């Protein structure tokens, strides 16, 4: 009886959500594609994942201790950053590369701004482009799938960039991940399982991924071949890091716009930049650069898509 | 006079060789005027305007005065005086004609004289486009295009930075990083991201 | 004599152009890819600073206040042109690697700031010492950044390779590395209390 007479201020409805829970659930949703990556590229991939996560967690701990802040290494965000960084690396990079990348991700991408929730850019991508600019040789040497040796091979995107048709790689291969590439990006099936989980449980909204992937498909269909309207748009969607980036990195709460309108602008912007870099840029893949550039634009997008205050 | 060359200059000036993030020209206003979005936009527009007209004036003076008289070595002195005089003139004209515009842009105009991006673009124009093999009229045209897109690139970087810095004011940034240092880190990451366009071939 | 030492030393310590005043950033970041270039840039800027301070201080009673800024610009631009032609004649290699940043000394905020804030209201000797101190402070700042970037980015000091390897952090000699080094160094100098925030 006493409970029904309890008087307190609103809110009265509580949901058992916390940053910690969301971080660990996103990490969980990324497990299938990691397992697929390890199966496709061998145990070396597992070591890279473990090293990146360990380095990220330790860096976070050291920096938080040094600046006398609350230690929050178990909220899962550092683990998630390390995991995403590892998924964006080829499988046979030297062991120190994921470590350096994770230190840069956490230190420069996150703690410099004051930690979780304050960062402007996606930390894992900051680490990745740092590595890309510093050691391009390691970052663009890929292992052939299911051969478990360091035979290097060109990615499907490299062929697509030159406007050629893919040889020897079917859509099914692309979908299951039987192609050279980064650890976490290859198995589209596993990525979609994780993404479906996040979408159905409403941890991410469909606005950014859909507008991003649709823009890439449309633009690569129009401009992707020697003549207009003849591009292999389906391969463009399935190759590179697009699915991983669109569902798991572009949707990061902190670094993407707040309103649905802003999220459409964000997704379309990412799509345009990705296709421009893929088709005409010097690098074969543009997903990480596109997301980072749109991260930088997020405060401006938020500013101009702010909902009208009622009555003004 | 090819259209592809113009597109290449545009992409290159806005992203790859961005005046602020890659060539390090105009860093002082980039840090000084990027605290508020509105101010950044005004400054950016003023810079585009001054850059385009300074490029036109300096290239005309170079072609029709400095080269015929054989005093090319005096170009630095001539160019900075042309820019300073032009900025002064603009300031006086808009103060008389449009007080509203003067209120919006006025205080940024004197700052532009010592913006190294403006003097920088006029010197780069001469070095890149007034060389044997490019006809003089094309050189003048390329100069204006380069100045216009250089200004756009400056404006884009300034605008993005101002949005980010407005947001950073509300964050719990470590005390020694607050303000200028964290602005440099943001600029560094933006510069890394813009590197994605390098090697652009159209 | 004591005040001369003070004018000289303030540019190196409290009012250090690079880390304290945060002025003259463009050449500081662009030229600091190698220690050799950085010192060259520093010496060139010091030369212009000292002589423009000298002339402006000597003429301070003759320049009408209304046209003082254009006059300063002409005086500074003259010394920059002397410097530009001198480098081209005697050190063509350095002149080439400093490139556009030699003529851009004209709009270097440090020089204009010292002309306006110091030389225009002080006697000749203190002005020279002020210019010298500021110039050396600038040279020191740009050299520290160049030392770090060159060491991490290409594993050498002033062009002398230390290790036979190519596992260096390439990004440090590219533009993002310059901005990163600058940001972290300013934070460090604040942390150590060398400069005020």
């Amino acid at each position: 009886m006493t409970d029904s007479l309890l008087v307190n201020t609103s809110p009265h409805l509580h949901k058992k959500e916390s940053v910690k829970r969301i971080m660990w659930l996103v990490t969980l949703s990324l497990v299938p594609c990691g397992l697929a990556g390890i199966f496709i590229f061998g145990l070396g991939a597992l070591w890279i994942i473990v090293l990146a996560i360990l380095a990220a967690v330790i860096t976070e701990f050291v920096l938080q201790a040094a600046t006398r802040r609350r230690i929050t290494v178990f909220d899962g965000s550092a683990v998630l950053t390390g995991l995403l960084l590892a998924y964006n690396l080829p499988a046979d990079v030297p062991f120190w590369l994921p470590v350096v990348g994770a230190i840069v991700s956490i230190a420069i991408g996150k703690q410099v701004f004051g930690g979780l929730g304050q960062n402007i850019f996606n930390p894992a991508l900051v680490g990745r482009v740092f590595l890309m600019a510093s050691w391009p040789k390691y970052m663009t040497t890929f292992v052939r799938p299911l051969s478990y040796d360091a035979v290097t091979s060109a990615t499907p995107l490299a062929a697509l960039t030159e406007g050629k048709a893919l040889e020897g790689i079917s859509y099914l291969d692309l979908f299951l991940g039987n192609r050279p590439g980064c650890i976490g990006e290859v198995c589209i099936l596993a990525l979609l399982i994780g993404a479906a989980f996040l979408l159905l449980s409403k941890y991410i909204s469909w606005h950014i991924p859909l507008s991003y992937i649709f823009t890439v498909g449309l633009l690569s269909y129009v401009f992707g071949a020697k003549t207009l309207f003849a591009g292999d748009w389906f391969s463009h969607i399935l190759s590179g890091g697009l699915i991983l980036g669109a569902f798991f990195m572009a949707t990061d709460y902190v670094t993407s716009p707040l309103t649905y309108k802003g999220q459409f602008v964000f997704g379309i912007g990412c799509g345009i930049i990705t296709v421009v870099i893929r088709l005409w840029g010097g690098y074969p893949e543009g997903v990480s650069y596109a997301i980072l550039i749109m991260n930088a634009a997020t405060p401006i997008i938020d500013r101009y898509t702010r909902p009208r205050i009622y009555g003004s | 006079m090819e259209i592809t060359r113009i597109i290449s200059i545009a992409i290159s000036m806005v992203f790859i060789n961005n005046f602020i993030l890659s060539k390090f020209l105009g860093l002082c206003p980039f840090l000084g005027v990027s605290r508020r979005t509105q101010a950044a936009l005004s400054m950016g527009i003023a810079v585009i305007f001054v850059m385009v007209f300074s490029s036109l004036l300096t290239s005309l003076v170079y072609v029709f005065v400095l080269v015929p008289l054989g005093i090319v070595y005096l170009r630095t002195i001539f160019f900075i005086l042309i820019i300073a005089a032009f900025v002064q003139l603009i300031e006086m004209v808009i103060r008389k004609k449009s007080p509203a515009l003067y209120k919006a842009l006025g205080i940024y105009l004197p700052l532009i004289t010592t913006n190294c991006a403006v003097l920088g673009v006029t010197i780069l124009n001469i070095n890149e486009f007034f060389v044997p093999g490019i006809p003089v009229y094309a050189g003048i045209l390329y100069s204006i295009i380069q100045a216009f897109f250089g200004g756009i690139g400056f404006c884009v970087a300034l605008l993005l930075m101002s949005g980010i810095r407005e947001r950073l004011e509300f964050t719990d940034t470590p005390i020694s990083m607050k303000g200028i240092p964290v602005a440099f880190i943001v600029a560094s990451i933006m510069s890394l991201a813009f590197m994605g366009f390098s090697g652009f071939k159209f | 004599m004591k005040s001369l030492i003070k004018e000289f030393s303030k540019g190196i310590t409290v009012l250090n152009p690079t880390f304290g005043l945060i002025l003259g950033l463009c050449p500081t970041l662009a030229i600091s890819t190698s220690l050799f270039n950085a010192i060259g840039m520093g010496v060139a800027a010091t030369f212009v600073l000292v002589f423009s301070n000298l002339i402006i201080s000597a003429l301070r009673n003759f320049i009408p206040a209304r046209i003082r800024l254009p006059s300063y610009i002409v005086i500074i631009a003259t010394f920059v042109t002397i410097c530009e032609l001198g480098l081209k004649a005697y050190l063509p290699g350095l002149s080439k690697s400093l490139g556009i940043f030699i003529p851009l000394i004209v709009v270097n905020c440090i020089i204009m700031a010292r002309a306006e804030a110091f030389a225009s209201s002080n006697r000749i000797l203190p002005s020279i010492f002020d210019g010298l101190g500021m110039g050396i402070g600038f040279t020191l700042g740009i050299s520290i950044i160049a030392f770090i970037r060159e060491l991490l980015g290409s594993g050498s000091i002033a062009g002398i390779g230390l290790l036979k390897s190519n596992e260096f952090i390439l990004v440090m000699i590219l533009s993002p590395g310059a901005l990163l080094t600058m940001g972290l160094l300013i934070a460090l100098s604040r942390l150590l209390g060398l400069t005020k925030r």
Side-chain angles (χ1 to χ4, degrees), chain B residues 1-10 128-129 134 142 145:
Chain B
M1 181 64 222
E2 314 106 76
I3 196 82
T4 49
R5 174 138 196 196
I6 293 175
I7 295 174
S8 295
I9 294 177
E128 283 170 23
F129 300 128
I134 298 180
Y142 284 144
I145 294 165

Side-chain angles (χ1 to χ4, degrees), chain B residues 131-201:
Chain B
V131 289
I134 298 180
V136 170
Y137 74 90
I140 296 175
L141 197 72
Y142 284 144
S143 300
I144 294 171
I145 294 165
Q146 165 152 298
F148 179 71
F149 286 106
I152 297 272
F154 185 91
C155 193
V156 166
L158 199 62
L159 203 60
L160 293 180
M161 191 65 173
S162 68
I164 293 172
R165 285 184 76 180
E166 279 187 356
R167 177 165 290 189
L168 284 176
E169 274 179 20
F170 304 108
T171 59
D172 181 23
T173 311
I175 191 87
S176 54
M177 292 301 303
K178 239 186 164 42
I180 302 283
V182 78
F184 271 112
I185 306 286
V186 169
S188 166
I189 299 173
M190 276 165 65
S191 172
L192 272 174
F194 279 15
M195 276 178 72
F197 286 98
S198 56
F200 183 87
K201 257 207 291 290

Side-chain angles (χ1 to χ4, degrees), chain B residues 24-25 28 75-76 116 178 188, chain C residues 26 29 84 104 109 176 190:
Chain B
F24 300 127
L25 295 172
C28 300
R75 97 189 152 178
T76 310
C116 36
K178 239 186 164 42
S188 166
Chain C
C26 307
L29 294 185
E84 195 181 352
L104 284 182
C109 331
R190 282 179 179 182

Side-chain angles (χ1 to χ4, degrees), chain C residues 39-123:
Chain C
I39 293 174
M41 183 73 212
V43 171
T46 309
F47 165 81
V48 176
L49 249 170
V50 169
F51 281 94
S52 64
N53 262 11
L54 172 98
I55 299 292
I56 288 167
S57 164
L59 296 177
R60 69 184 184 279
N61 295 328
F62 302 100
I63 299 174
R66 288 191 57 156
I67 57 154
R68 64 179 199 288
L69 291 182
S71 322
Y72 296 167
I73 289 180
V74 175
I75 292 167
I76 296 169
T78 308
F79 285 108
V80 170
T81 306
I82 293 171
C83 183
E84 195 181 352
L85 296 175
L87 274 181
K88 214 175 253 171
Y90 296 108
L91 293 169
L94 185 65
S95 162
K96 201 158 198 165
S97 49
L98 299 186
I100 182 178
F101 285 92
I102 288 292
L104 284 182
I105 296 176
V106 178
V107 282
N108 190 320
C109 331
I110 303 170
I111 294 168
M112 202 60 175
R114 291 333 285 172
E116 173 74 5
F118 198 90
S120 63
S121 55
N122 280 287
R123 283 181 301 116

